[in-house]
Amino acid sequence: MNLNLSTINEMPKEQFVEALGAIFEHSPWVAELAFDARPFRTADELHDAMVKVVIHSSEDRKIALFREHPDLATRIKIGEYSTLEQKGAGLDRLTPEEFEVFTRRNREYTGKFGFPFILAVRGKDKSDILAAMEARIDNSLEEEADEALWQIARITKFRLHDLITE
């Protein structure tokens, strides 16, 4: 499905949230709160408005958003956007040994930080992703929360640009 900005700008709130609510993983509240920033002249302007909603939300709400993201290389059912992104990075084709490494790293990361490892995987392969996991495990909670927010901004920018024609 592709949408153009004029259509998005003319949508009633309910339809706007329906169309854009999945951009931020299982968090339609982001689209709902960005609605009043219309009209948007570009997809980047819409994205900026949505990211500002997250940045200005409470720490608890940010952590809840982080926790909505699936583990990378998971075998449980995940959202459509995440499924396509992980498939594009080859995470659906791991050997049993690779799957075990990712599972162990995901557990270690979540155990330390309290939310899953978040990375914009577009353009990356499994070795890039594993290297990022290993590099970031030594970060502080504050560093990882900032990095998670930055990665979510990258992920959602890709998603919006895939969805919107200007």
Side-chain angles (χ1 to χ4, degrees):
M1 168 179 76
N2 273 9
L3 295 171
N4 66 46
L5 276 172
S6 62
T7 301
I8 289 169
N9 285 327
E10 294 168 7
M11 288 178 172
K13 190 173 197 171
E14 185 176 301
Q15 189 179 359
F16 181 90
V17 172
E18 176 70 27
L20 301 175
I23 296 295
F24 283 74
E25 202 80 27
H26 304 292
S27 300
W29 59 270
V30 177
E32 184 178 343
L33 293 174
F35 177 80
D36 290 335
R38 294 174 315 139
F40 304 105
R41 294 176 305 224
T42 65
D44 285 341
E45 195 175 291
L46 168 57
H47 182 254
D48 289 347
M50 295 177 92
V51 169
K52 283 178 186 167
V53 164
V54 175
I55 288 170
H56 296 298
S57 65
S58 70
E59 291 305 310
D60 287 345
R61 200 159 206 191
K62 286 177 196 166
I63 297 296
L65 171 64
F66 299 166
R67 288 179 178 153
E68 289 294 344
H69 284 76
D71 282 341
L72 293 176
T74 186
R75 293 203 171 138
I76 62 168
K77 183 162 174 46
I78 58 178
E80 183 179 343
Y81 284 116
S82 289
T83 299
L84 292 171
E85 291 156 358
Q86 291 198 29
K87 186 181 254 190
L91 296 180
D92 62 330
R93 298 180 299 279
L94 298 176
T95 66
E97 295 78 18
E98 290 169 331
F99 179 75
E100 180 52 39
V101 169
F102 272 90
T103 300
R104 191 173 53 252
R105 293 287 188 239
N106 280 322
R107 238 189 336 263
E108 180 184 0
Y109 183 94
T110 302
K112 180 175 181 180
F113 297 111
F115 52 85
F117 178 78
I118 301 170
L119 181 72
V121 298
R122 188 172 295 188
K124 295 182 177 29
D125 64 21
K126 58 189 171 187
S127 63
D128 298 328
I129 296 164
L130 195 55
M133 291 176 99
E134 291 170 354
R136 287 173 45 192
I137 193 66
D138 292 327
N139 285 348
S140 69
L141 177 57
E142 183 180 355
E143 288 170 323
E144 266 315 284
D146 289 346
E147 184 64 26
L149 193 55
W150 163 244
Q151 293 296 327
I152 288 169
R154 291 188 66 223
I155 292 164
T156 55
K157 189 168 198 164
F158 288 137
R159 290 176 179 181
L160 272 178
H161 280 277
D162 288 348
L163 179 66
I164 296 172
T165 58
E166 292 188 29

